[in-house]
Amino acid sequence: MTTGQTVRLPSVDRILGDAACLDLIAHHGRVQTVACARAVLAEMRTAMLAGAVCEEGASIAAIAAQMAERLQAQSRSRLRAVYNLTGTVLHTNLGRALLPDAAVQAVVEALQWPMNLEFDLETGKRGDRDDLVEELLRELTGAEAATIVNNNAAAVLLMLNTLAQGKEVVVSRGELVEIGGAFRIPDVMTRAGAVLREVGSTNRTHLADYANGVNEDTALLMKVHCSNYAITGFTKSVELDELVPLAAQRGVPTAVDLGSGTLVDLAQYGLPHETTVRETIAAGADLVTFSGDKLLGGPQCGVIVGRADLIAKIKRNPLKRALRVGKLTLAALAPVLQLYRAPDLLAERLTTLRLLTRPAAAMRAQADTMLPLLQGALGSAYVVTAEAMKSQIGSGALPVDQLPSFGLAIRSAPGSRLSNPLGALEQRLRALPRPVIGRIGQDTLWLDLRCLEAAHETAFIAQLDELSA
């Protein structure tokens, strides 16, 4: 500020009467725009008292520009699309499975129109929302009945609360899993009102352990799929086909929590075999729970399939209403399930399976194209190379198995004087218009290209120039 010269701030009314602010009002509404103008003026008064405001900064045009920037930032959603270059296809923190086009279009329609969520179009009477997908689930799994809740944790909770409240559930100590968010089988049993009966040891459980654990208070024999870890070495577990006859003999149901359940044999697509829901039902399980947004490749939900009488009891539980899904979930799930009816086309149409089976050659070609562009944007402070790397399925599916992949490896240039160069670059990537999420390990920032499909490559490359700014 010029010595001895007073800078007068314009009034709120004058600012709002400016053409630029009229545009802001039309876009953001008068209430937000007025509040923003007052906030900017208040900050400028504080700065002026400290002698930090020049005459140009107090002009209506400058104030309107500040307001426009602030209002735009305020209106931006905190839920943003990102590029997943972590190498984990089903990344829990990034939303797990991406929906195929058919599901996306179905959700858009459900957002715009009333739907027959619980209305039977044939009878004109109230219907059951599970009916929208139950027939498909029965066909694909071989189960007698099915019901849907908001995630697999809810499915396990509802099943246990319905069938084992105040009673015991027999589980091997080697299957007392903990998944993300500190969700532990013992804890969910407590919340469900069931009593955990641990049998066997961490690494070895025998059929006799289950037999000795059954008593007059037993409600279920339960197996839990160890989806996010593997116990190796001197181990022994009881397979389902061994456990089912014991359960039948003792007159109790057998339940299996498959976690990231799959509806097809992944081995036919060159991936490691994972026990399918159909195989589990065929082996005699009375109830099976699994996720919709993991290997199945659909929206977040939990599915319970199995005996019709047990499913009927579960659906009568008052908790079912608290845990039920809405029309958007069902709108997305039905088209995904329909894709499984054409298994020969599944690897092309189901986004999750397409990413899991993506050939390394395609990713290598991408890396070769992008390498000079990224190196040019980063300059001499970093060294970028195209390298083979390993992807993983993620979300507790096949934790040991890895997929051959390809991508870009970024390392700090020898002699670089930057402080924490990889951490700084990782932050810059996250600050791009569409944030890029990679992973740091072994003094390298890895950008795995498995989840960057060809349709998104041009837009990804277009924003690389911003890294050089």
Side-chain angles (χ1 to χ4, degrees), residues 12 14 28 36 55 59 64 92 141 185 201 214 232 263 265 273 289 303 310 312 320 344 365 372 390 412:
V12 173
R14 282 190 62 200
H28 297 283
C36 184
E55 293 184 52
S59 69
T92 298
T141 67
I185 288 296
S201 63
V214 178
T232 61
L263 298 180
D265 182 4
H273 175 74
T289 66
V303 185
L310 299 180
K320 173 63 164 64
D344 52 320
K390 295 290 185 180
S412 177

Side-chain angles (χ1 to χ4, degrees), residues 10-33:
S11 67
V12 173
D13 286 342
R14 282 190 62 200
I15 294 171
L16 296 179
D18 186 79
C21 283
L22 291 176
D23 289 340
L24 293 178
I25 292 172
H27 185 74
H28 297 283
R30 185 174 183 83
V31 172
Q32 282 194 82
T33 306

Side-chain angles (χ1 to χ4, degrees), residues 396-417:
L398 300 167
V400 176
D401 300 280
Q402 294 185 311
L403 309 175
S405 189
F406 215 88
L408 298 169
I410 308 171
R411 299 177 179 88
S412 177
S416 173
R417 296 183 179 180

Side-chain angles (χ1 to χ4, degrees), residues 195-241:
V195 178
L196 171 63
R197 178 79 169 192
E198 301 178 32
V199 297
S201 63
T202 303
N203 60 318
R204 292 180 68 82
T205 300
H206 304 271
L207 186 61
D209 294 319
Y210 284 96
N212 293 333
V214 178
N215 57 53
E216 63 276 8
D217 291 326
T218 302
L220 284 173
L221 301 187
M222 185 174 175
K223 284 191 67 64
V224 182
H225 183 48
C226 301
S227 55
N228 60 358
Y229 68 96
I231 300 176
T232 61
F234 186 57
T235 63
K236 173 71 172 69
S237 61
V238 178
E239 298 300 324
L240 184 59
D241 56 4

Side-chain angles (χ1 to χ4, degrees), residues 82-100:
V82 304
Y83 290 109
N84 174 16
L85 304 191
T86 64
T88 301
V89 177
L90 298 172
H91 199 301
T92 298
N93 304 124
L94 301 181
R96 292 185 180 166
L98 302 179
L99 294 181

Side-chain angles (χ1 to χ4, degrees), residues 99-107 331-332 335-336 339 349:
L99 294 181
D101 291 341
V104 172
Q105 295 306 313
V107 170
V336 171
L339 294 181
R349 295 179 176 176

